[in-house]
Amino acid sequence: MSKKNKSWAELTWSEKKQKFTIIACVFLFLSICSFFVTPHPKREELKKIEIKLDSEPIFKKTKGKNPSNWLEIYSKNIKYKLDGIDYKYLKIKILKKNIHKDTIITIKVFKENIFEMIYKNENLLDYDLAKIHKTKNRTFSQIIFFSGFILNILPLFFKQNPIYTNYYSEKVEIDFIKIFIILWFTAIIIAIIYLGDFKYISGSEFINN
């Protein structure tokens, strides 16, 4: 029987360690990548410009079970975009009510991405909350990926699958999969408690008003 057709219980300890090694490498790769996520630009890096809209603001949304939302505005045929976590902190109702074609607004951008939007001295986009959210979202990813890496390298230190004696005096192999699931979900709960809010685990957009 090939490895592909074997159940987990039928695998030898050497074969199980190979799978743990692969999974550990995946988590390590994801953990390293989380440190290179594009950071929130500093305020001094933002370019402040006053623009007059060429057309109505355009709200777009991808299809699927987990759609992404974003905003596009045009001025002098230049497209400015607001998406990702920043979109969470956009005052959409106020924008839809007041921002239309030929409206003059002030935006602060990094390249063509909008990070602040001001209309009649009211900021329609919370730069500070978006920055906090991005930082905590990245921290959550780092905790989860690194804990997954640590949990998957633990079995590699054992030459044989460890055995313990259960309540019925039976010798039973330690089930690392169950231990992994329990400890990994525990790490997720600890990470959420540490971050202070469940919403920070998501990097996608939501319509907040």
Side-chain angles (χ1 to χ4, degrees), residues 82-103:
L82 172 63
D83 61 0
I85 289 175
D86 297 279
Y87 189 88
K88 291 177 180 285
Y89 298 97
L90 175 65
K91 297 178 181 178
I92 296 176
K93 285 185 179 179
I94 297 176
L95 187 147
K96 288 184 174 180
K97 181 179 179 182
N98 297 287
I99 311 301
H100 303 284
K101 180 181 178 181
D102 296 327
T103 301

Side-chain angles (χ1 to χ4, degrees), residues 14-28:
S14 178
E15 291 170 341
K16 289 179 180 179
K17 287 175 70 173
Q18 289 177 12
K19 292 186 179 295
F20 282 124
T21 300
I22 293 171
I23 298 172
C25 289
V26 171
F27 274 111
L28 179 60

